[in-house]
């Protein structure tokens, strides 16, 4: 019985703003994690947004420093990545970085934020015939976190979200969900 207990994978429940231990790989069972780094002035550089089912790692990071910060309460399980898993993770990480970089390069702040919200909704929301529904509170995405993801200021994000709601480009659903209507 003791040997079977020793073979149990290491599992953690972490809380918002906690940081996953460095140099390890994890399977995310519940919650959301942001991978990030910082520039020389201390500005956050968001590198990814990970949700349930994703594999995340800080083993042999290309970017230094690299931090895996919990946005919500998360449940993670330590895993050892075999070469096939490493390849799949690197492909997913590269795809996410390319998508975020493409969003961050959109000149118009309005289009950039709407594109980011659609991207988040498509990855971590619910898509239906009316549009894309996402819960910023469930993902614990503050206006600052959205700003970090798309390269805008928090004030700009707040102003744009208010404008989008007033113009009907974002619809409030329930207490904290947003619906991004399908564009005709």
């Amino acid at each position: 019985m003791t040997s079977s207990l020793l073979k149990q994978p290491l599992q953690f429940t972490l809380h918002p703003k906690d940081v996953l231990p460095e140099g390890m790989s994890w399977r995310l069972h519940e919650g959301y994690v942001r991978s990030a780094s910082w520039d020389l002035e201390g500005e956050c550089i968001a590198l990814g947004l990970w949700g349930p089912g994703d594999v995340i790692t800080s083993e042999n990071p290309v970017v230094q420093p690299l931090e895996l910060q919990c946005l919500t309460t998360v449940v993670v399980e330590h895993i050892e990545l075999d070469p096939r898993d490493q390849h799949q993770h690197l492909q997913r990480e590269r795809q996410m970085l390319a998508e975020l970089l493409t969003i961050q390069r959109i000149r118009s702040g309005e289009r950039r934020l709407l594109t980011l919200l659609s991207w988040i909704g498509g990855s971590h929301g619910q898509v239906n015939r009316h549009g894309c529904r996402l819960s910023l509170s469930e993902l614990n995405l503050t206006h600052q976190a959205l700003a970090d993801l798309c390269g805008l200021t928090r004030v700009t994000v707040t102003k744009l979200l208010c404008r989008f709601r007033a113009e009907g480009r974002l619809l409030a659903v329930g207490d904290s969900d947003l619906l991004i209507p399908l564009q005709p």
Side-chain angles (χ1 to χ4, degrees), residues 104-122:
Q104 292 169 357
R105 297 296 298 165
I106 296 172
R107 289 191 188 272
S108 162
E110 282 186 20
R111 257 192 53 234
R112 188 182 320 168
L113 182 57
L114 278 175
T115 303
L116 175 71
L117 292 172
S118 294
W119 178 78
I120 294 169

Side-chain angles (χ1 to χ4, degrees), residues 110 113-114 117 160-170:
E110 282 186 20
L113 182 57
L114 278 175
L117 292 172
L160 287 173
L161 287 173
C162 289
R163 185 181 330 147
F164 295 159
R165 285 185 188 113
E167 295 172 350
R169 293 200 268 175
L170 288 178

Side-chain angles (χ1 to χ4, degrees), residues 26-81:
W26 306 94
R27 181 166 318 280
L28 187 54
H29 291 290
E30 294 177 26
Y32 296 90
V33 172
R34 175 181 75 170
S35 53
S37 189
W38 294 267
D39 65 15
L40 295 174
E41 288 82 38
E43 293 290 320
C44 179
I45 302 168
L47 302 172
L49 181 61
W50 309 91
D54 284 332
V55 170
I56 51 179
T57 186
S58 59
E59 289 184 55
N60 305 315
V62 175
V63 176
Q64 293 277 351
L66 175 66
E67 182 176 272
L68 301 175
Q69 183 186 48
C70 301
L71 295 173
T72 63
T73 299
V74 301
V75 176
V76 292
E77 175 185 337
H78 175 255
I79 60 170
E80 297 292 330
L81 289 178

Side-chain angles (χ1 to χ4, degrees), residues 3-4 18 35 37 41 53 58 70 79 97 103 105 110 116 119 129 137 141 145 152 154 157 174 178:
S3 65
S4 66
D18 285 349
S35 53
S37 189
E41 288 82 38
S58 59
C70 301
I79 60 170
L97 281 169
I103 291 168
R105 297 296 298 165
E110 282 186 20
L116 175 71
W119 178 78
R129 62 186 173 93
S137 63
L141 284 174
L152 296 171
R154 182 200 54 79
V157 167
L178 297 173

